[in-house]
Amino acid sequence: MQFQTLVFVAISKINISQDMSDELEILFRERSRQVDSVEGFLGLQFLRSKKNPNEFRGIFRFRDEESFKNYMKSDLHRQSHNMTRQAINEAIKSNSVEFFHEITQ
C-alpha cells in the first residue's frame, strides 16, 4: 500500500524565562505575517502551555519539506528572526524542533 505524502509540519518548543514570557506572547500575537506569502506555506499556530506558561509551541505547516527548507534558508526567515528583540532571544532557555508528516486533514 502506498500512502500519499501529506503536509510537512515543524513543531518548535520554546522555554523562556518567566519575566519575558508575556513579551514573547505579544511578539507572536503581533507577528509580521510575512511568512504567509512564502511558496508552500500553509499555516502557523502559536500555543502557550496552560500547565507551564513559560513554554510555547510554534506549529508551522508547509506543503512539503522542500518548501520548509527553502523558507529556512531564505532572507525572509533571517529578517524575521533579526526583528526579535535581543532581550527575548537572551531569555530563551531552550528551543527545539521536531518534524512530522500530517496523516489526517
Side-chain angles (χ1 to χ4, degrees), residues 38-84:
V38 168
E39 176 68 29
F41 177 77
L42 300 175
L44 169 60
Q45 289 182 295
F46 286 112
L47 309 172
R48 188 172 188 176
S49 173
K50 287 183 60 124
K51 183 178 179 182
N52 177 2
N54 303 323
E55 186 175 291
F56 295 81
R57 298 284 192 287
I59 303 170
F60 299 81
R61 297 175 70 245
F62 283 83
R63 178 184 59 228
D64 51 39
E65 189 171 358
E66 182 180 350
S67 297
F68 171 77
K69 287 180 177 181
N70 288 339
Y71 169 65
M72 293 301 290
K73 291 187 262 181
S74 72
D75 288 337
L76 181 63
H77 178 258
R78 271 187 297 286
Q79 291 167 3
S80 71
H81 282 260
N82 288 341
M83 291 180 355
T84 303

